[in-house]
Amino acid sequence: YQRICTSVDLDSMQCKQSLGALLAFMQENIFKLDEGKVIISSLRVYVQDQFVQIDQGSFTALQIFAEEVHPNVMRGKGRSKEGFSLFGLFDRTHSLPGRQRLRDWMARPFNNRDKILHRQRGVAFVARQCNRDFVSATSGMLRHFHDLPRLILRVKKVEANHTDWNRITSTLLAAQQLLDHIAAFVGNPMTRPEDIAYLTEMFGSIQVSAVHRLSYTLQAAIDTQESEAEASVVFRDGYDSVLDQMRRVFDHLEADLVQAAHCVLQVVPLLQVFFSYFTFPGISLIVHCCPY
């Protein structure tokens, strides 16, 4: 409460009502939580004066973004696409997070000279002819990146399916390969010193060992091919002994139930018997039953 008071005037009723409306909007539209609550875990100052303030009229006049809707679909329905705009001309991204980051950059451009020069260093690094092979290989790896924050949110909400887990696994595997690729490029004696400094600054804070550990853990736990075939999350044999035992019991469930039914008939042979059909996911059982 004291931390929030240092940033928000909680004595103002209008301020508290605005915060409540914002949290309610995030809960319903951003995170789509039905019963859960949005929990504030940390506060961070968002400095607005470091960005250029652009009104909607300027965005429209400069054609920074242009949304096109299919003529056979009513507006607001279906999928729209980017039309002829500055964003469409500059968009050479290969992943959804990259496209979202580029849109965020163009929606809120910097007005700080140092930050603009730092971003131009990145553009110059990609544009150099000597780095063409590295950039091409990196672009191929980025194609396997998915929207990881959205996938993690689905896991937290217990809504993740086999496709989400496979996408998380493929994203971590691609991230592992990308970090190894960057480390090899930085260690190459032919790499320019300014490029080494830029990549070290960009990726120096990433815990490479944690990415490798998460990637190996998911690959050892989830069988992606079987998950796609079964349309469900399938864990590998040997990952968990209790799960393996329950799986063996489930696989022999049909034979065990049929054998139990025959044993009951041998003990009580005078029971009037009829056939009943029970259907479980992937199993059809024929059980001998007594009408009473």
Side-chain angles (χ1 to χ4, degrees), residues 219-259:
Q219 291 182 67
I222 300 177
D223 191 335
T224 56
Q225 295 182 353
E226 288 294 330
S227 298
E228 286 291 341
E230 298 292 338
S232 179
V233 179
V234 178
F235 285 85
R236 297 185 184 274
D237 293 333
Y239 177 74
D240 186 272
S241 58
V242 177
L243 182 61
D244 292 341
Q245 182 180 0
M246 295 176 65
R247 181 183 299 168
R248 288 192 294 268
V249 171
F250 183 79
D251 291 340
H252 295 85
L253 180 61
E254 180 179 3
D256 293 341
L257 290 177
V258 172
Q259 183 178 2

Side-chain angles (χ1 to χ4, degrees), residues 4 18 48 67 82 96 119 147 185 207 237 242 250:
I4 296 178
S18 301
Q48 295 186 356
E67 182 183 10
E82 188 68 25
L96 180 60
R119 186 167 293 175
D147 192 356
F185 181 78
Q207 299 182 6
D237 293 333
V242 177
F250 183 79

Side-chain angles (χ1 to χ4, degrees), residues 167-195:
R167 288 177 176 176
I168 293 175
T169 304
S170 63
T171 300
L172 288 176
L173 181 59
Q176 176 184 347
Q177 296 173 352
L178 178 60
L179 292 175
D180 294 341
H181 181 60
I182 294 174
F185 181 78
V186 171
N188 190 346
M190 302 298 294
T191 304
R192 298 164 64 103
E194 57 269 26
D195 293 341

Side-chain angles (χ1 to χ4, degrees), residues 57-257:
S58 299
F59 271 109
T60 304
L62 296 175
Q63 286 188 288
I64 298 178
F65 302 105
E67 182 183 10
E68 287 188 357
V69 181
H70 195 278
N72 293 333
V73 181
M74 292 186 300
R75 187 168 185 81
K77 300 292 184 180
R79 281 189 167 184
S80 60
K81 64 178 182 178
E82 188 68 25
F84 183 75
S85 63
L86 290 177
F87 174 76
L89 292 176
F90 285 103
D91 185 14
R92 297 295 184 270
T93 57
H94 297 284
S95 63
L96 180 60
R99 186 172 296 107
Q100 292 175 346
R101 178 59 59 90
L102 178 61
R103 177 176 287 274
D104 183 69
W105 283 357
M106 299 188 70
R108 286 179 291 274
F110 284 126
N111 63 0
N112 182 281
R113 179 177 180 274
D114 295 334
K115 293 184 178 295
I116 294 175
L117 291 176
H118 180 268
R119 186 167 293 175
Q120 289 178 347
R121 287 171 54 199
V123 175
F125 166 76
V126 176
R128 288 194 186 95
Q129 187 66 24
C130 59
N131 299 333
R132 183 175 181 179
D133 293 339
F134 172 79
V135 173
S136 178
T138 302
S139 300
M141 297 176 186
L142 289 176
R143 296 179 186 274
H144 301 284
F145 276 71
H146 299 277
D147 192 356
L148 199 56
R150 176 178 172 273
L151 295 174
I152 294 177
L153 179 61
R154 288 180 57 84
V155 172
K156 290 182 178 180
K157 294 169 61 177
V158 200
E159 295 180 354
N161 53 25
H162 67 284
T163 303
D164 297 327
W165 282 107
N166 288 350
R167 288 177 176 176
I168 293 175
T169 304
S170 63
T171 300
L172 288 176
L173 181 59
Q176 176 184 347
Q177 296 173 352
L178 178 60
L179 292 175
D180 294 341
H181 181 60
I182 294 174
F185 181 78
V186 171
N188 190 346
M190 302 298 294
T191 304
R192 298 164 64 103
E194 57 269 26
D195 293 341
I196 295 177
Y198 178 77
L199 290 176
T200 303
E201 181 181 358
M202 287 291 294
F203 299 95
S205 60
I206 297 179
Q207 299 182 6
V208 180
S209 59
V211 176
H212 283 258
R213 184 170 63 253
L214 288 174
S215 178
Y216 288 141
T217 301
L218 283 181
Q219 291 182 67
I222 300 177
D223 191 335
T224 56
Q225 295 182 353
E226 288 294 330
S227 298
E228 286 291 341
E230 298 292 338
S232 179
V233 179
V234 178
F235 285 85
R236 297 185 184 274
D237 293 333
Y239 177 74
D240 186 272
S241 58
V242 177
L243 182 61
D244 292 341
Q245 182 180 0
M246 295 176 65
R247 181 183 299 168
R248 288 192 294 268
V249 171
F250 183 79
D251 291 340
H252 295 85
L253 180 61
E254 180 179 3
D256 293 341
L257 290 177

Side-chain angles (χ1 to χ4, degrees), residues 34-50:
D34 297 328
E35 301 294 337
K37 301 295 183 180
V38 177
I39 305 299
I40 301 176
S41 59
S42 63
L43 295 175
R44 185 175 59 181
V45 178
Y46 186 79
V47 183
Q48 295 186 356
D49 57 1
Q50 66 179 346

